[in-house]
Amino acid sequence: MKTLTNENQEQQWIWGLDKHHSSMAAYSTTNPVTLASMVEDVLAGKIPNDYELSWDLMFNKRLPFEAAEKLAKAWPTVVEFGFFLVAKPDATPDALDEWADSEDLGTITEIASHPNTKLETLLKLTRSPLPYAAFAAVSTGRLPPQVVDKLSASESGLVRQGVARVSREQSTLKRLATDPEPAVRLAVAENPSASDTIIEEMARADAQPSLELGKLLAKRLRDPALLQQMSAHPEAQVRLAVVRNPHNAIATVTELALNEQHPSPVLCKAIGTRLPDPALLQSLQKRSVVVKVIPKGATQVTTAKHN
């Protein structure tokens, strides 16, 4: 038996005394050598409740990696143990490579993002039949450009989305900008490497993009004519992005001020910073509204008061 005292010196937990004592000892021990010894006791069957104690030991952040690996391999069907193992900062490159065959999304994601993961392991993930494995690998930005370009032709929209996020190749981004999957096109618009030409082509191809894509395009466009087109978007957040874009024309701002029926205070203020006509600004402010949620869950629209 091992007698352990917690840091407050108020309670001694005796490893092997009973279930509760062993559990608390496994969870609270800070000495790595002692923890490794506990793992050996569990694996040798010297301590009852080995499954529950294995969980307690795996939860202990002081558990040495080598000991944690032994536990994870002793319980191969417990996917959480594999996740805990590869999430450890001192996980070895070889172990990360070995566990890359896992089908667990969390485990794969941890392996792909781990700084100790070898390039060979990332390449292995791109060959996995599981789309999220290739997505996790490409999302790291560590893959060679030629591998990323090849993955842009994947049948999986998730993999193509990952490519769209990290690729710097304009021909690849141009092709993905017309992808049938909305998430892929959105990833292109989010990619700072996408050229102004690609962003403009996306705006021309879709006069009324989704809310999220519309906000991105309205933020990145430099062509006043395309910004004027985007100012007719039905979503107020997109129109707000247009107003805040320094490349839009005063005529576009004026047209928005004339057409907005019930602008939010935020949109009203943004338009006001660009609007040269004081009378039109005053008219716009009178039309501004505040949206409140009343207790029953209904929405109440109230005209804002301006001095």
Side-chain angles (χ1 to χ4, degrees):
M1 291 186 182
K2 301 178 179 69
T3 302
L4 304 146
T5 306
N6 71 5
E7 59 183 8
N8 294 324
Q9 300 295 318
E10 295 176 353
Q11 175 68 55
Q12 289 186 330
W13 305 115
I14 302 176
W15 173 253
L17 178 63
D18 57 32
K19 180 179 179 179
H20 179 65
H21 270 265
S22 294
S23 176
M24 292 305 299
Y27 187 79
S28 62
T29 297
T30 58
N31 188 313
V33 175
T34 303
L35 286 167
S37 177
M38 290 177 175
V39 169
E40 295 300 330
D41 286 348
V42 169
L43 296 178
K46 296 179 180 180
I47 299 292
N49 306 306
D50 56 346
Y51 177 72
E52 290 82 359
L53 291 178
S54 293
W55 274 94
D56 294 327
L57 287 164
M58 289 297 285
F59 267 120
N60 192 319
K61 294 182 179 180
R62 300 294 184 91
L63 182 68
F65 178 80
E66 295 77 8
E69 188 174 20
K70 290 180 180 180
L71 277 181
K73 289 183 176 180
W75 301 98
T77 60
V78 184
V79 295
E80 292 88 351
F81 284 6
F83 173 81
F84 295 152
L85 180 71
V86 301
K88 282 184 166 294
D90 56 345
T92 64
D94 288 343
L96 291 165
D97 186 77
E98 181 178 354
W99 287 86
D101 294 325
S102 171
E103 296 183 359
D104 177 61
L105 173 60
T107 301
I108 292 299
T109 302
E110 285 291 335
I111 291 172
S113 61
H114 202 291
N116 294 344
T117 297
K118 300 180 291 187
L119 176 59
E120 291 79 2
T121 302
L122 293 177
L123 293 172
K124 177 197 288 189
L125 292 177
T126 67
R127 298 188 293 270
S128 169
L130 306 173
Y132 56 76
F135 171 79
V138 74
S139 295
T140 65
R142 292 177 53 194
L143 293 175
Q146 62 270 24
V147 175
V148 175
D149 185 60
K150 183 178 180 181
L151 290 172
S152 70
S154 171
E155 294 182 358
S156 168
L158 181 62
V159 177
R160 299 196 304 276
Q161 179 185 348
V163 173
R165 283 182 175 181
V166 303
S167 178
R168 296 182 180 181
E169 178 58 47
Q170 296 304 304
S171 61
T172 298
L173 292 172
K174 181 177 180 179
R175 182 170 67 254
L176 294 177
T178 60
D179 194 276
E181 292 287 342
V184 178
R185 301 196 299 275
L186 182 64
V188 172
E190 290 174 329
N191 189 329
S193 296
S195 67
D196 292 344
T197 300
I198 290 175
I199 298 300
E200 290 174 1
E201 289 176 352
M202 293 180 73
R204 291 191 182 96
D206 191 352
Q208 285 196 359
S210 66
L211 170 61
E212 294 304 320
L213 180 57
K215 288 193 297 183
L216 283 169
L217 295 178
K219 181 179 179 179
R220 295 193 59 180
L221 283 169
R222 294 174 177 270
D223 185 333
L226 289 173
L227 284 166
Q228 197 278 333
Q229 169 189 300
M230 198 68 68
S231 69
H233 198 282
E235 292 287 352
Q237 293 183 51
V238 177
R239 300 195 299 276
L240 176 62
V242 170
V243 173
R244 287 174 169 172
N245 189 316
H247 300 285
N248 66 28
I250 295 300
T252 299
V253 179
T254 301
E255 184 177 356
L256 273 169
L258 289 169
N259 294 335
E260 289 292 332
Q261 295 301 309
H262 302 292
S264 68
V266 174
L267 180 56
C268 184
K269 182 178 180 179
I271 293 175
T273 61
R274 300 287 309 281
L275 198 62
D277 186 340
L280 182 54
L281 175 58
Q282 185 176 21
S283 172
L284 179 70
Q285 291 173 335
K286 289 180 179 180
R287 285 176 269 139
S288 180
V289 297
V290 177
V291 179
K292 296 182 179 179
V293 178
I294 58 179
K296 292 183 179 181
T299 301
Q300 175 178 312
V301 179
T302 307
T303 303
K305 294 182 180 181
H306 300 275
N307 296 325

